Each structure stands twice: as structure tokens, then as C-alpha cells.
Amino acid sequence: MSKQEIPYKIYLEEHEMPTQWYNVRADMKKKPAPLLNPGTLKPMTFEDLRPVFCDELVKQELDDTTPYIDIPQEIRDFYKMYRPSPLVRAYCLEKKLDTPAKIYYKFEGNNTSGSHKLNSAIAQAYYAKEQGLKGVTTETGAGQWGTALSMACSYLGLDCNVYMVKVSYEQKPFRREVMRTYGASVTPSPSETTQVGKKILAEHPGTTGSLGCAISEAVEAATHKEGYRYVLGSVLSQVLLHQSIIGLESKAAMDKYGIHPDLIIGCAGGGSNLGGLISPFMGEQLRGEANYQFIAVEPASCPSLTRGKYAYDFCDTGMVCPLAKMYTLGSGFIPSANHAGGLRYHGMSSVLSELYDQGLMQAVSVEQTQVFQAAEQFARVEGILPAPESSHAIRVAIDEALKCRETGEEKTILFGLTGTGYFDMVAYEKFHNGDMVDYIPTDEDLKAGFDGIPRFPGNME
Amino acid sequence: MSKQEIPYKIYLEEHEMPTQWYNVRADMKKKPAPLLNPGTLKPMTFEDLRPVFCDELVKQELDDTTPYIDIPQEIRDFYKMYRPSPLVRAYCLEKKLDTPAKIYYKFEGNNTSGSHKLNSAIAQAYYAKEQGLKGVTTETGAGQWGTALSMACSYLGLDCNVYMVKVSYEQKPFRREVMRTYGASVTPSPSETTQVGKKILAEHPGTTGSLGCAISEAVEAATHKEGYRYVLGSVLSQVLLHQSIIGLESKAAMDKYGIHPDLIIGCAGGGSNLGGLISPFMGEQLRGEANYQFIAVEPASCPSLTRGKYAYDFCDTGMVCPLAKMYTLGSGFIPSANHAGGLRYHGMSSVLSELYDQGLMQAVSVEQTQVFQAAEQFARVEGILPAPESSHAIRVAIDEALKCRETGEEKTILFGLTGTGYFDMVAYEKFHNGDMVDYIPTDEDLKAGFDGIPRFPGNME
């Protein structure tokens, strides 16, 4: 198609928006390994998970056979406030790169949470509300997930308690204030409000916290408080299910204009955005209906897919959560100060890990100075100021488009632009001032991530 | 029409976007008073303005007879990156307020500048580029305008020098970094780089600057540098012309669904957003084709329309700019610390001033604690975190909708949601902590704004 025929932004009509989420596990012949109960080492059951997650979400977490799940009307109404998100043709970037490649991105940043996180936050809050719960607890690092959950809870009239990693709480006061605007209570973690928090504070006075520790606190708070449940913004299969809205909309928009992406690229931290983006395309591939190349992009400083182990591991530092089989750097791995906050997780979604292990998806890691170069280049021609996380995908999309310039191939590239960088200007400032450094963990650093983690048969080898 | 028939968000198709701006002055029987040369007190001519603005913009500034002006293709292409902006039906707000009123808002915040300012920034940068200039200079207070101009200049490859009010430069480092991301040079004002800056620094060592002072510096920098011109983000008639895209899109979207707004509300600082929003509707009214009620909302702390004088006055503190006939608090007026940065201007667009003087538009002023209450209420149900400026319009839209609840009237309300508040969290934090105070200038305060301003025949009486 010629430039004239495809608009800069493709918006679906409201009536074209998906009415069901897509569960990619249903089309996987070899399913992702089940979560294990850390006490019994047996697969987690509905009853095991009920004290932690609300019932409907437990069902979704355990369901690896139902391909389509209806999106409740109230969630669909909420989606209409900020969705459909635009599928953008990056005409200006293509021109700047002088590439024959056609570049598209699905932009999820135009809502106040600043990212795709809202897609799952409203779903998780909705089911909690439906179950008659009073509220939910969660952790947040960079703050997008906490903000998204605050927005969803405020809309539904649900109480929202956020454990925010202390260093972020102090360095990102604006994020905190956005959450307060939406009525959430925000506690710096570790805190004195939980046993696990007290223990960590006693052992490490003056610690600035970590995501793994904040998860442990939020889980404890939920399970010890009447009428509360814990919610999580990534990694879980239920989250990938909700995030499939990204891929479903992308696919519907592309189908409308007869566009076939050759290459689909997304950044990967816990995997929620990448999993959501690729799900319906991967489904086609699994069913033998189409062929795509998928690339997961992770930071060189936290390379779970490219340098991790495929093994059962804990999802949190406190070891209170179930065990998940995933590509992991070890739940004891402490990522260096990397500004792409949302990508600093030691593990990766079980679904994506299994797809990667089966060779259905590729993975690359990139260094952050390269990422910020791509971010700035993108901002200057496409107008949007990208989040550092999203910019990992931009980096590889640009690299692939430049390869096409060399080879003359007219590949169609689709990447996920998960969010905006308005609250990441400290990192941009470092980049502008030349103070940003790259960090690649040594093999020794990586080994340390597995220290102190209990071994059990068949794992961690 | 029923709820089902009107979507949450109305997006025009790309081919439905306006191809011409609308110049409301063409339909005004009594025209706005011309700019005066401060030396001769005669109307500014093309030649008078050429050293300051680029040629095409001077023409647009002086043209009060041509109703429609073509939007050049390159600007239309740029618009396509972030426009059409959505016209949103505030279903959730209506429900929350339990009002029979139908509320719509035109949302201009979904671009990186965070506001409608980009609509004129790209136009002004484009004409500068067309004239073969090297760059432009400007001032910025809160930072939206500076960011918008940086984005436009970066896209076109034009140099961009921003004089940023020193207090904002220091308190809003993130805004500064966004501008740097787009390659702009940002100088805290007053600075040693201009004569007027040096003079002010010598007279007031330690001053944190003002918008009026930054304007004077930017004008001096432009007129003393080969290949540079000055650009301004509000007040001027050319800016209202470019911003008419807001109203034209709103009207096209409403016409498409057969919606007639009874009441059109916008916040007013210099008048760029309000003027742009109401222009095409006002045009219909001036031509006797339709009837609307228009309301300008200004901060009680800087009430140029509701408590100012309709007189010729200087546009800047340094008195280097032309004189404009406008509602003014006096160019010596110093607004109190009011967080709605973009509404802290002593004067008002000549076009809007004249329309107000003819009784074609109403004006109200509101206090900022009331404004932030409305902002928070809006954010919690509509999801969008509004800028303090925009929230002035939200306040009055809510008040009008609540009146409808009392009277049972089913009024259709349209208001302009000019921008997002991501960089205004310091103000939100003050509000959350109960530290925000209202300030209403006394009659004495208002008198002081006119001290030291030269009198000349027929003015300032």
C-alpha cells in the first residue's frame, strides 16, 4: 500500500474493539509448567491460591485450555475511556532512517498511568470488587503499576494499598502524588507495617528496598487483612491474558488495512507487555496459520532470557510466593542501578519462558546508553517521549530497520511502545550530561543470584 | 441521542481533519484594536513587525479580513502525528455528578508538550523555516510552550533558544530536560546573555524572574541575532488563528453526531486555548447562524477579564513589545504564587478582549483550591490527570452541570481540556497536604499593576 492509503494513526472504532481476551496457553501444545506450592512442591491448586488472589483470577491463572475469555462489560466500558490505543505508522522515523522497512508501533502510553499496566489493573480490581472485597494490596517499583491500580480502584471505589520500593518513594515523589490523587495509600517498603518488613529492617537497617521485598510485604498485608487480596502487574499468566488486548487491537487494526508484520518486537521485564502484544500473533503461528519473527528485548544489566537459567524459582525475595518455572537470574539477583525500572525483575513470565525454550521466540539484550540514544532519536522525529523500558524495543526496531537499509528488504516491523517517560527525566538528564554508564553483570554476579535459594529435586541445576 | 449511539471518544478520520484555519476577526463587525508602535503610538505596520516575527506570521497577525487560511501540507503532516485529538463524552463524570447535562471535552493533552501549545508551535516554526531562518527564540514559564516549540524545531531542524523563568528552571528541572531531549538550549531568565537581563540582574540581584522579563530577553535575543525571530505561544491573533484547529475539530466531531453545545467553557490566561476552541462557534454566532453561551474562566489571583481595565498596555515588563488593547491588570502586575502557571499573565488576547467587551462572551474567576478539588474529582472518574490550567474549565463545567441537576435542564456542555498535569505534582502535593492557599488581590494590589506605565492619550484611564 502507498503512504497515502495508510493513515499515521489507525484507531479502531469502539464497536471494533475486542470483546474477549485471548489465552495463548490454550494453543500451546507443550503448556507452561504449573506454579508449585513452595511447601509441598506440588502444583498450586485453586484452594492454595484463594487466600492470595480473588477467585475469578485464580481460575484465569490456572486455565490453560480456554482460548477466549469474555471481557466483562464494566471493564469494556473502562477500556473505552483510554482505548482503543493507536497503532501508529512511524512515517517520520522511516524517513529519518532512510529505510525501506515499514515501521508500526502500538502506543499504550496515552493514559495517566503512562503505560499498558492499566489494562490488567482494571481487570484485577474489577474481579476483586465483584467478589465483594474491600481492597487490594500491591507493590510498585518505578510506579506505573501502582498508578494504574490506583486509577482502577478509584474508579470502582476500592481501597488500594501500595508498597513502593523506598528508593523510588523518595526519588519519585511525583509518582507517589499521582497515586495519592487517585486516593491510594502509599507505604515506602520495607516498612514496619508487616512482619517481613520489620525483619528486613532489623537485618538491614537503612536499606532502600527492592521489588522482591515489596512483593513479600504486599502479599503478607493482603493475606493478613480481612477482605483484601494481592494483585500483581506482570509475570502471571492472568496478566498476559488481560494484556492480550494490546495484540488483539494491533492485529485487528493491521488486518483492516491488510498489513502483515514480519517482525514483532517488545521489551521484556516480567513479560506482561510482550506477552500481550504477541499473544494473538503467536496463536496463529502455533495453529500453523501464519509465520512471524518475535524478538524479546531485555536490558543487558538484567538478562533473564539471554543469560538466565530455565528452572523453578521463587517470584519474590522473601520466598513467600509460589515457585514458577521460568528463565531466571535467581531470586537473589540484585540488578544494578538501571533506570529502566520496569525491566529490573529476576525472572520472566512462565508462558514466555516456555515459548522461548521451544524456540518460538528470540531474545536479545541491549545496553542502556544505546537505549537512550534510540529514545532521543525517536522522540525527535515521532514526537512521543518514550519510557526507558519501551525504548529497549525502539532500539531493536531501529537496528532492524537499519539492517533493511543495507539489504534493501521491505520488512514490516511492529513494536510495542508501552509507555511515556515523563517521570523518567532524571535518567534522561544523566544521559544528556554524559553521566550514564552501562553495566553488564559478570558470570560471578549471575551466580550470586542463586545463592541461598533452597534446592529441590529437578531444579536449579 | 442515546448513550449507545455516541462513543466515549469521537476521533475524526484523517481525511476529515481541517485543511484551513479559521480567522474569527474576519467575521467581527467591530474589529479588535490594532497593535500600536510604542514609539509612535501609530498602528504597527508590516515593516514595524518584520524584525520581530517572520514575514508570513506578520501577515497573519495583521490580517483581520480573510476568514480561512490554508494550513500548509507539512504542518498538516505534523498534525497527523498527534491529531485529531479526541472529543470525549464524559459519561463517567456525568454519572458521578448525577446530572442530566451532557458533558464533552476536547482533550489536547496527549502529546509530549502536554498541551495544545504544539498546534501553534509547529506553525510558527514552519514559517520561520520557510523563510530560511536559522532559529527562533522564546520564553517559557510553566514550560508547556517551550516544550512544544522544542518539539516543532527538532522536527524541522531549526535552532531553538528558550528563556525559562528562573524559578521554573530551578523548580521544574524535568521540563527543562524534556526540552533538552528535543535539542533546545534553555537559559534561566534573567540572564547575562541580554542587555535587558543584565539590567534587571543589576537592579534586582537574586530575582527569580518573571514571564514579562523572559519575553523581553527573548525579543532582544531574536532581534540582535542574524537569522533569528521571536515566537510567542499565546495572546497574539496569529496564535488564536492556529489554535482554531481545536474548535474546528470539535465542531466537525459534534456535527458528525448532530450534537449542539449550549455552553462552551475554556480556561483563559493569554487566551490561546479559549480563542481557538470558541472561534468557529463564535463565527457562527457572529454571522447569525447559531447561538451559544461562552464562558472564559480565569484564576481569582490573576483576573484580567473580570477585574482588569480595557486599555492599551505593554505585553511585557521590559516595555520593548508593541502595545495591545486588551483587558489588563497592568504590565506591572505581579501575580501571586499561583500554581496554574500558564494563567499568570497580566493581559488577555485582543480578540477575546474585544468579544468580551461586546458582551459576546462571559467571564468568571475561580479560586485554586476549588480548582484542584475539581481536578481530583475529574481525575478519579475520567482517568485523565488534568493540568491546573485546564482544571479551571473543569471547575466551571462541573458547577454548570450541578446547576442542571437542580433545574433538570439537559444542557450540552463543551469544555477545553488543554493539558495534563504530570509536571505539576508539586502543586497537587500541596493540595493533598492541605498547604494550598487561595489568594485574591486587593484593589490596592490591582492599582499597583499600573504604576510606572507611561500614560498616553486615550489609554490607561
Side-chain angles (χ1 to χ4, degrees):
Chain A
M1 284 199 179
S2 76
K3 173 167 170 170
Q4 274 61 41
E5 286 168 311
I6 295 179
Y8 279 64
K9 291 185 261 77
I10 305 177
Y11 280 107
L12 296 176
E13 301 280 327
E14 225 163 69
H15 64 84
E16 295 170 317
M17 286 174 65
T19 58
Q20 300 181 306
W21 292 303
Y22 170 65
N23 182 6
V24 72
R25 288 170 292 168
D27 283 310
M28 290 171 72
K29 279 184 203 90
K30 188 178 169 217
K31 307 288 182 191
L35 295 173
L36 295 187
N37 182 317
T40 64
L41 296 186
K42 293 204 172 132
M44 293 293 281
T45 63
F46 182 78
E47 289 304 326
D48 284 338
L49 285 168
R50 278 190 87 178
V52 183
F53 302 123
C54 70
D55 295 358
E56 195 59 34
L57 292 168
V58 175
K59 280 186 210 160
Q60 293 181 359
E61 191 63 33
L62 298 177
D63 183 348
D64 57 9
T65 55
T66 311
Y68 288 96
I69 291 173
D70 285 343
I71 308 175
Q73 187 59 48
E74 196 163 353
I75 298 177
R76 288 170 58 193
D77 284 346
F78 186 86
Y79 279 167
K80 286 179 201 163
M81 292 207 301
Y82 70 101
R83 308 198 68 82
S85 70
L87 178 73
V88 186
R89 172 75 183 267
Y91 282 122
C92 301
L93 181 62
E94 289 171 18
K95 196 174 155 194
K96 181 80 182 179
L97 299 176
D98 189 22
T99 175
K102 293 171 186 68
I103 308 174
Y104 293 85
Y105 55 91
K106 180 71 168 169
F107 180 40
E108 292 287 321
N110 267 351
N111 68 73
T112 297
S113 80
S115 82
H116 65 294
K117 296 282 180 184
L118 198 50
N119 300 330
S120 184
I122 184 63
Q124 296 191 50
Y126 169 81
Y127 291 117
K129 176 85 178 176
E130 278 297 291
Q131 196 173 317
L133 298 173
K134 286 183 208 153
V136 290
T137 70
T138 199
E139 75 293 329
T140 201
Q144 284 99 330
W145 168 247
T147 308
L149 191 68
S150 307
M151 291 173 68
C153 287
S154 143
Y155 179 79
L156 296 168
L158 215 55
D159 190 30
C160 180
N161 301 160
V162 180
Y163 287 86
M164 187 171 189
V165 177
K166 193 182 268 173
V167 62
S168 295
Y169 183 90
E170 283 162 3
Q171 287 181 357
K172 295 196 160 189
F174 293 173
R175 275 280 189 204
R176 185 184 74 209
E177 287 308 318
V178 178
M179 290 186 256
R180 287 179 74 195
T181 301
Y182 288 93
S185 72
V186 187
T187 307
S189 167
S191 75
E192 297 282 352
T193 68
T194 64
Q195 292 307 318
V196 64
K198 279 181 195 163
K199 186 161 170 274
I200 291 167
L201 283 172
E203 286 168 8
H204 309 278
T207 175
T208 54
S210 74
L211 202 55
C213 159
I215 294 178
S216 304
E217 283 206 274
V219 171
E220 182 186 319
T223 48
H224 288 66
K225 226 167 154 181
E226 181 65 28
Y228 281 75
R229 289 295 184 283
Y230 169 69
V231 295
L232 179 64
S234 191
V235 185
L236 297 173
S237 300
Q238 62 184 270
V239 177
L240 264 70
L241 174 72
H242 307 147
Q243 295 296 355
S244 70
I245 188 91
I246 304 172
L248 291 164
E249 278 188 10
S250 301
K251 194 160 157 22
M254 292 191 128
D255 286 349
K256 203 170 160 177
Y257 285 86
I259 305 159
H260 177 91
D262 299 300
L263 188 52
I264 304 176
I265 301 166
C267 62
S272 71
N273 132 72
L274 178 69
L277 175 67
I278 70 173
S279 273
F281 298 99
M282 183 63 80
E284 278 191 306
Q285 181 130 325
L286 290 167
R287 297 188 303 269
E289 298 164 7
N291 245 306
Y292 304 100
Q293 185 187 355
F294 301 100
I295 304 180
V297 189
E298 55 184 17
S301 60
C302 193
S304 53
L305 286 172
T306 51
R307 296 179 67 197
K309 214 178 251 197
Y310 191 33
Y312 268 104
D313 192 8
F314 289 92
C315 295
D316 64 326
T317 326
M319 304 189 202
V320 302
C321 291
L323 294 157
K325 189 173 178 191
M326 54 185 180
Y327 277 86
T328 177
L329 298 166
S331 49
F333 179 75
I334 298 165
S336 76
N338 175 347
H339 301 289
L343 306 180
R344 299 181 63 203
Y345 185 67
H346 67 275
M348 178 62 63
S349 141
S350 293
V351 177
L352 292 180
S353 292
E354 182 55 34
L355 290 167
Y356 179 62
D357 195 57
Q358 293 179 27
L360 291 161
M361 184 179 83
Q362 299 162 258
V364 296
S365 75
V366 290
E367 291 165 29
Q368 73 171 346
T369 51
Q370 303 293 317
V371 166
F372 274 82
Q373 274 170 19
E376 188 163 282
Q377 185 173 21
F378 179 83
R380 290 186 181 190
V381 289
E382 289 289 319
I384 296 167
L385 183 81
E389 292 90 344
S390 325
S391 303
H392 285 69
I394 297 175
R395 172 75 273 162
V396 174
I398 288 177
D399 291 345
E400 291 291 330
L402 291 175
K403 280 186 210 162
C404 289
R405 187 170 69 187
E406 297 309 310
T407 62
E409 283 177 287
E410 294 189 18
K411 279 191 188 171
T412 296
I413 298 170
L414 166 64
F415 73 89
L417 187 67
T418 52
T420 48
Y422 303 129
F423 293 99
D424 300 291
M425 296 318 297
V426 171
Y428 272 95
E429 185 175 16
K430 273 200 176 169
F431 174 69
H432 294 148
N433 294 343
D435 295 337
M436 182 172 278
V437 288
D438 289 317
Y439 170 76
I440 300 176
T442 63
D443 290 342
E444 287 304 306
D445 294 332
L446 291 186
K447 261 188 206 153
F450 294 96
D451 286 351
I453 301 176
R455 298 319 202 241
F456 34 87
N459 300 306
M460 295 292 170
E461 256 94 63
Chain B
M1 284 199 180
S2 77
K3 173 167 172 172
Q4 275 61 41
E5 287 170 306
I6 296 177
Y8 278 64
K9 292 186 260 76
I10 305 175
Y11 281 106
L12 296 176
E13 302 279 329
E14 225 163 68
H15 65 84
E16 295 170 318
M17 285 175 65
T19 57
Q20 299 182 307
W21 292 303
Y22 170 65
N23 182 5
V24 70
R25 289 170 292 169
D27 282 309
M28 291 170 71
K29 280 185 203 90
K30 190 180 168 210
K31 307 287 184 192
L35 294 172
L36 295 187
N37 182 316
T40 65
L41 297 186
K42 293 207 173 130
M44 293 292 282
T45 63
F46 182 79
E47 289 304 327
D48 285 338
L49 286 168
R50 278 190 86 177
V52 184
F53 302 122
C54 70
D55 295 358
E56 195 60 34
L57 292 168
V58 174
K59 278 188 211 158
Q60 293 181 358
E61 191 63 33
L62 298 177
D63 183 348
D64 58 10
T65 55
T66 311
Y68 289 96
I69 291 172
D70 285 343
I71 308 174
Q73 187 60 47
E74 196 163 352
I75 298 177
R76 288 170 58 193
D77 284 345
F78 187 87
Y79 279 167
K80 285 180 201 163
M81 290 207 301
Y82 70 101
R83 309 200 66 83
S85 70
L87 178 72
V88 186
R89 173 76 182 266
Y91 282 122
C92 301
L93 182 62
E94 289 172 18
K95 195 174 155 192
K96 180 81 181 175
L97 299 175
D98 189 24
T99 175
K102 294 171 185 68
I103 308 175
Y104 293 85
Y105 54 92
K106 180 71 168 167
F107 180 39
E108 293 287 321
N110 268 352
N111 69 73
T112 297
S113 81
S115 81
H116 65 293
K117 295 283 182 185
L118 197 51
N119 300 330
S120 184
I122 185 61
Q124 296 190 49
Y126 169 80
Y127 290 119
K129 175 87 177 174
E130 278 298 290
Q131 197 173 317
L133 298 174
K134 286 183 210 153
V136 291
T137 70
T138 199
E139 75 292 329
T140 200
Q144 284 99 328
W145 169 246
T147 310
L149 191 68
S150 307
M151 291 173 69
C153 287
S154 146
Y155 179 81
L156 296 168
L158 214 55
D159 189 30
C160 180
N161 301 160
V162 180
Y163 287 86
M164 187 171 189
V165 178
K166 191 182 269 172
V167 62
S168 296
Y169 183 90
E170 284 162 2
Q171 288 182 356
K172 296 196 162 188
F174 293 173
R175 275 280 188 205
R176 184 185 73 210
E177 287 310 317
V178 178
M179 290 185 257
R180 287 179 74 195
T181 301
Y182 288 93
S185 72
V186 187
T187 308
S189 166
S191 75
E192 296 282 351
T193 69
T194 64
Q195 293 308 318
V196 65
K198 280 182 195 163
K199 186 161 170 274
I200 291 167
L201 282 172
E203 286 169 8
H204 308 278
T207 175
T208 55
S210 73
L211 201 55
C213 160
I215 294 177
S216 304
E217 284 205 272
V219 171
E220 183 187 316
T223 49
H224 287 68
K225 226 165 153 182
E226 183 66 29
Y228 281 74
R229 289 293 185 284
Y230 168 70
V231 296
L232 178 64
S234 190
V235 185
L236 296 173
S237 300
Q238 61 184 270
V239 178
L240 265 69
L241 173 72
H242 307 146
Q243 294 295 357
S244 70
I245 189 89
I246 304 172
L248 291 164
E249 279 188 10
S250 301
K251 196 162 156 18
M254 292 191 129
D255 286 349
K256 202 170 161 178
Y257 284 86
I259 305 159
H260 176 92
D262 300 300
L263 189 53
I264 304 175
I265 301 166
C267 64
S272 71
N273 134 70
L274 179 69
L277 174 66
I278 70 173
S279 275
F281 298 99
M282 183 64 82
E284 277 191 306
Q285 181 130 325
L286 290 166
R287 297 188 303 269
E289 297 163 7
N291 243 307
Y292 304 100
Q293 186 186 353
F294 301 100
I295 305 180
V297 189
E298 56 185 14
S301 60
C302 195
S304 53
L305 286 171
T306 50
R307 296 178 67 195
K309 215 179 251 195
Y310 192 33
Y312 268 104
D313 191 9
F314 289 92
C315 295
D316 65 326
T317 327
M319 302 187 203
V320 301
C321 291
L323 294 157
K325 189 175 178 190
M326 56 186 177
Y327 276 85
T328 177
L329 297 166
S331 49
F333 179 75
I334 299 165
S336 76
N338 175 347
H339 302 287
L343 305 180
R344 298 181 64 202
Y345 186 67
H346 68 275
M348 177 62 62
S349 139
S350 293
V351 177
L352 292 181
S353 292
E354 181 56 32
L355 290 169
Y356 179 60
D357 196 57
Q358 292 180 27
L360 290 160
M361 183 179 83
Q362 299 162 260
V364 296
S365 73
V366 290
E367 293 165 28
Q368 73 171 345
T369 51
Q370 303 293 317
V371 165
F372 275 81
Q373 274 169 19
E376 189 163 280
Q377 184 172 22
F378 179 83
R380 290 186 180 189
V381 288
E382 289 289 320
I384 297 167
L385 184 80
E389 294 87 344
S390 325
S391 304
H392 286 70
I394 297 175
R395 173 74 273 163
V396 173
I398 289 178
D399 291 344
E400 292 290 332
L402 291 175
K403 280 186 210 163
C404 289
R405 185 169 72 185
E406 297 308 311
T407 62
E409 283 177 287
E410 294 188 18
K411 279 189 188 172
T412 296
I413 298 170
L414 166 64
F415 72 89
L417 187 67
T418 51
T420 48
Y422 304 128
F423 293 98
D424 299 290
M425 294 320 294
V426 170
Y428 272 95
E429 185 174 17
K430 273 200 176 170
F431 174 68
H432 294 147
N433 295 342
D435 295 337
M436 182 172 277
V437 288
D438 289 317
Y439 171 76
I440 301 176
T442 63
D443 290 343
E444 287 305 305
D445 294 331
L446 290 187
K447 261 187 205 152
F450 294 97
D451 286 352
I453 302 175
R455 298 318 200 243
F456 32 87
N459 299 305
M460 294 293 170
E461 255 93 66

